[in-house]
Amino acid sequence: TGGFTTIDPGYKNTGACESAITFLDGEKGILRYRGYSIEELAEKADFLEVAYLLIFGELPNKAELDKFHADIKKHAVVDDDIKKILDAFPKSAHPMGVLASLTSALTAFNPTSVNVESEEDMYNAIVRILGKFPILVAWTMRKKKGMPLEYGSSSLGYVENILKMMFKHPNEDYVQNPILVNALDKLLILHADHEQNCSTSTVRIVGSSHAGLFASLAAGISALWGPLHGGANQAVLEMLEGIKKDGGDTKKYMGKAKDKEDPFRLMGFGHRVYKNFDPRAKIIKVAADDVLTNLGIEDPILDIAKGLEKEALEDAYFVDRKLYPNVDFYSGIIYRGMDIPTEMFTVMFALGRLPGWIAQWREMRLRKEPIGRPRQLYIGETHRPFKDISKR
Ligand code: SDX
């Protein structure tokens, strides 16, 4: 043994690092980025401002933010070969698999190692990925919809341009609905970081071997894909569609969730850390109502969501286990309202989480953290002699 007695599956009670980026208090439902509350940031800042804050530790002044925007725009182009890679995927390819592959491919087209001693080298890698990633996200969606792979317009803001690249043809005149831009900006801010969640821990541990930033991000995308983590927002809509197809009886599904024989997890409910309401869910719930009201959307799926939410909040089994709607429950509803395909929901989560992954990777490298290498308690066979195949 390695001189220890207990293991901690899923690291539920293990502190992996010290970090100055995000503070959250699961009991009180508090979430702060570099000391600022997400309620204030979601209300008063925009996504790139928050990205700058998470990565560099301070809110940018006007000159810093203008330079950040300009430098990111300079990199808002990808190697043409990326189109060939995208063309190679079948239309049925899951967007998260496409995004992870394209992000790995960017590693091949860009300097793989970042000299962390050089602030300039690190800054250039950061603005490079912040410029290119939205294109990968938008082109992954265009690929899914069979649309041509084109850029947006440099005259637009960061989030507006993402929406344009996802949905519109460049020559199509483009007036973006401010409600949608504001809702997406808020969603991305609320997804930007969440301390040592599964995908961020993955980015840190891959980066701890001194693999490049882009390679570490590609690993984080794969971890986020899982339905217990970022994939939950897609799983929520698939669950709601299943309930609708099955007649819309939410009580039946509440019962299934409690059936220990055949455990059925209600996607979008519960959280490892928040043992009260997920503070992000509160803000996103309001934004979801705004988007649906403003777009005049009447959607039976969303009525089922509201029914499920109401029942879960009043159900002893759920209340005892502190299983409240989480960020993924409501974000899927907004993405659906914005006509984003369900399979793209987790890609949108990755777009939001990108600055957090970058910030955590940078902090881990600047603090010169050792390579991640946990130990184990061995429970296998004791030593035994080789057995010839004639005797097996
Ligand atoms: C995200 O970590 C992060 O920060 C993640 C995230 C981020 O921003 O990065 O916040 C984003 O991933 C949010 C979570 C999205 N996942 C889902 O919505 C999937 C459904 N949720 C569950 O799988 C679950 O709640 C987890 C994975 C989120 C948390 O699981 P835990 O903390 O390991 O809880 P557990 O599995 O120990 O369950 C405790 C009890 C169990 O019942 P008992 O054995 O005590 O009788 O609660 C039950 C579980 O069966 N339970 C659920 C449930 N979640 C837990 N029962 C029904 N439905 C659920 N969703």
Side-chain angles (χ1 to χ4, degrees):
T1 62
F4 50 83
T5 52
T6 57
I7 55 172
D8 179 19
Y11 308 123
K12 287 192 175 189
N13 301 300
T14 295
C17 62
E18 292 177 341
S19 176
I21 299 171
T22 291
F23 169 78
L24 63 86
D25 178 323
E27 289 307 318
K28 300 195 186 93
I30 294 172
L31 177 57
R32 297 188 197 122
Y33 297 157
R34 299 283 190 182
Y36 295 98
S37 78
I38 48 146
E39 289 79 5
E40 281 209 276
L41 291 170
E43 211 39 59
K44 300 172 184 167
D46 71 25
F47 180 55
L48 272 197
E49 246 178 312
V50 171
Y52 188 100
L53 169 69
L54 282 167
I55 294 167
F56 301 110
E58 295 298 336
L59 283 168
N61 62 35
K62 180 143 180 20
E64 287 161 337
L65 187 57
D66 290 348
K67 178 178 182 326
F68 198 48
H69 267 277
D71 292 338
I72 288 168
K73 276 190 177 146
K74 257 191 284 188
H75 289 288
V77 65
V78 294
D79 196 293
D80 245 15
D81 288 345
I82 289 282
K83 292 187 178 180
K84 290 186 199 137
I85 297 172
L86 257 165
D87 286 344
F89 286 106
K91 234 174 143 189
S92 59
H94 192 289
M96 282 298 271
V98 173
L99 184 65
S101 313
L102 294 181
T103 306
S104 280
L106 280 187
T107 302
F109 295 125
N110 291 280
T112 47
S113 67
V114 175
N115 169 14
V116 292
E117 307 308 326
S118 145
E119 266 302 293
E120 191 195 352
D121 205 23
M122 179 86 83
Y123 178 84
N124 288 335
I126 288 163
V127 291
R128 191 179 289 125
I129 189 67
L130 284 170
K132 298 176 188 307
F133 201 73
I135 299 164
L136 304 186
V137 165
W139 284 5
T140 300
M141 169 115 144
R142 282 175 167 261
K143 164 83 188 176
K144 198 87 204 148
K145 292 189 149 187
M147 291 169 70
L149 305 178
E150 284 154 347
Y151 291 104
S153 153
S154 59
S155 62
L156 292 173
Y158 193 70
V159 170
E160 287 88 338
N161 196 37
I162 291 169
L163 284 171
K164 180 177 176 72
M165 283 196 288
M166 286 172 68
F167 289 107
K168 302 284 180 187
H169 290 283
N171 51 11
E172 196 174 337
D173 77 310
Y174 185 71
V175 180
Q176 183 53 47
N177 178 335
I179 290 273
L180 292 191
V181 174
N182 183 277
L184 181 56
D185 199 63
K186 214 168 262 190
L187 272 172
L188 297 177
I189 287 171
L190 294 170
H191 282 83
D193 193 55
H194 212 243
E195 54 129 284
Q196 304 312 312
N197 59 87
C198 176
S199 54
T200 299
S201 302
T202 303
V203 169
R204 275 182 171 256
I205 202 162
V206 169
S208 72
S209 74
H210 290 194
L213 173 56
F214 292 20
S216 307
L217 294 172
I221 293 166
S222 300
L224 188 71
W225 192 353
L228 294 190
H229 186 16
N233 56 19
Q234 173 178 341
V236 167
L237 262 294
E238 286 162 355
M239 173 186 74
L240 293 173
E241 276 153 3
I243 295 175
K244 176 167 173 276
K245 215 175 278 152
D246 189 23
D249 176 1
T250 48
K251 278 198 181 344
K252 174 177 165 187
Y253 283 81
M254 289 296 292
K256 281 160 70 86
K258 302 176 213 172
D259 171 2
K260 286 299 167 198
E261 297 313 305
D262 170 21
F264 170 86
R265 292 225 156 175
L266 278 189
M267 292 290 112
F269 287 84
H271 197 279
R272 171 65 60 77
V273 181
Y274 289 122
K275 293 312 173 193
N276 282 302
F277 223 74
D278 180 335
R280 302 167 296 179
K282 271 189 190 145
I283 302 170
I284 293 187
K285 178 177 162 51
V286 172
D289 291 344
D290 284 353
V291 168
L292 301 181
T293 315
N294 180 276
L295 295 181
I297 293 174
E298 290 297 319
D299 184 337
I301 288 283
L302 308 176
D303 297 338
I304 290 175
K306 284 198 170 34
L308 210 50
E309 174 199 26
K310 188 173 177 311
E311 272 167 44
L313 293 177
E314 291 160 6
D315 181 289
Y317 178 94
F318 276 70
V319 175
D320 293 351
R321 285 168 179 74
K322 317 265 184 200
L323 300 175
Y324 299 101
N326 56 41
V327 64
D328 295 295
F329 183 73
Y330 297 107
S331 57
I333 288 170
I334 294 186
Y335 293 139
R336 181 183 171 87
M338 296 171 80
D339 201 18
I340 292 174
T342 308
E343 272 200 324
M344 283 291 295
F345 287 6
T346 311
V347 169
M348 300 308 289
F349 192 146
L351 182 64
R353 186 55 48 93
L354 180 68
W357 287 334
I358 293 171
Q360 301 268 353
W361 183 93
R362 177 174 178 273
E363 180 180 71
M364 176 273 303
R365 288 302 310 273
L366 290 180
R367 286 172 56 94
K368 301 189 183 341
E369 305 269 346
I371 184 167
R373 202 266 184 238
R375 300 300 311 276
Q376 63 170 24
L377 276 181
Y378 179 69
I379 55 168
E381 297 285 343
T382 52
H383 180 242
R384 50 183 174 162
F386 184 78
K387 194 184 283 180
D388 189 82
I389 194 158
S390 59
K391 296 198 177 64
R392 290 177 207 161

